[in-house]
Amino acid sequence: MSRDVILSIKNLSKNYELSGAFTRGKDVVHAVENISLEIHEGETLGIVGESGCGKSTLGRMIVRLEDPTDGSIFFEGRDLAKESSRALRLIRKRLQMIFQDPYASLNPRRQIGKIVEEPLRIHGMGKQERRAIAIDLLKKVGLDENSYEKYPHEFSGGQRQRVVIARALSLNPKLVVADEPVSALDVSIQAQVLNLFKDIQRELGLTYVFIAHDLGVVRHVSDRIAVMYLGKIVELAPADDLYEKPAHPYTQALLSANPRMDESDSRVRIILTGDIPNPINRPDGCVFNPRCPKAADICRTTAPALLQIGTRQVACHFPD
Ligand code: ADP
Ligand code: MG
């Protein structure tokens, strides 16, 4: 891809130390482990994996809601760890996050318009100007002007997520991390909201990191997709390549659990056995080995590096 790199992550890790009545000394959760990747201006990078694999932690670090334990994040070429708090405040405006639950993320006692313009108020913009921008944003996400005076309970889940999107756009961001933004919505509404994301991206030239737990949702919005397992990226590929020829056994398993509608799809269904391993007691060698149909001796002792193979990166001793 020839587009400029907007965000670059190097060897990023996040550990959580657990302490409490039920933990021995200090247990450490390796939520994200040594992830490096680049995100290009105007693209959508999908991030997929089962619950608990570290997607949200990675997303929160990207928008600086969370500090990494290790590694660095460069936004437009600047190392965010080395910026002054004042510079970081300005940079943060350009990095926005949208969360899964549109019910939890809107204050029920505030008017929709006030919710959308709140980030502008915090940044010191005057009343008239704020209102004009908020109304403009509401229209942009497909809501009408008189939504401004209404309250969250007057809206459906899909409409609320439109409000959340409008609020995230108020500070004119460059990069938006959307963390399972349609997971809480009815399937019939999901496609509309996904289309809205795409339309807005085209209009504003935004870059997206789009997180989902299943491959079906990210397929149509993503240019490239990273598959995560236990805090690591196991495969990263252009979206079409990933769906047509998944190389990692875990990607293959995720895809086969998510069969396509057409009957001609002859791929064998792979059922993953066993639970997702515990991120406190991770297996030696390849983190996927206890559930992998291909696991051999080397997989139990040696972690495979994420290597470039053609258009993709794969971390597997026996990639297809
Ligand atoms: P995902 O979004 O893929 O479901 P998360 O990033 O939320 O995964 O979590 C990754 C791992 O880190 C999980 O094991 C989770 O329990 C743990 N974790 C996340 N946030 C915290 C926290 N604040 N304190 C302790 N553990 C956490
Ligand atoms: Mg999550």
Side-chain angles (χ1 to χ4, degrees), residues 16 18 29 31 50-57 60 279:
Y16 294 107
L18 301 180
V29 177
E50 286 162 295
S51 173
C53 71
K55 307 179 295 295
S56 296
T57 303
R60 289 198 304 266

Side-chain angles (χ1 to χ4, degrees), residues 62-64 75 80 91-97 175:
I62 289 174
V63 299
R64 304 300 294 179
F75 178 63
L80 296 189
I91 290 169
R92 270 219 180 97
K93 287 169 62 173
R94 315 181 63 202
L95 301 167
Q96 290 294 316
M97 187 146 182
L175 185 142

Side-chain angles (χ1 to χ4, degrees), residues 210-235:
F210 208 97
I211 297 173
H213 58 263
D214 85 78
L215 276 161
V217 168
V218 287
R219 166 150 208 183
H220 297 290
V221 293
S222 303
D223 298 297
R224 292 186 303 148
I225 294 174
V227 178
M228 283 183 72
Y229 191 83
L230 264 185
K232 298 188 173 209
I233 291 178
V234 295
E235 182 162 6

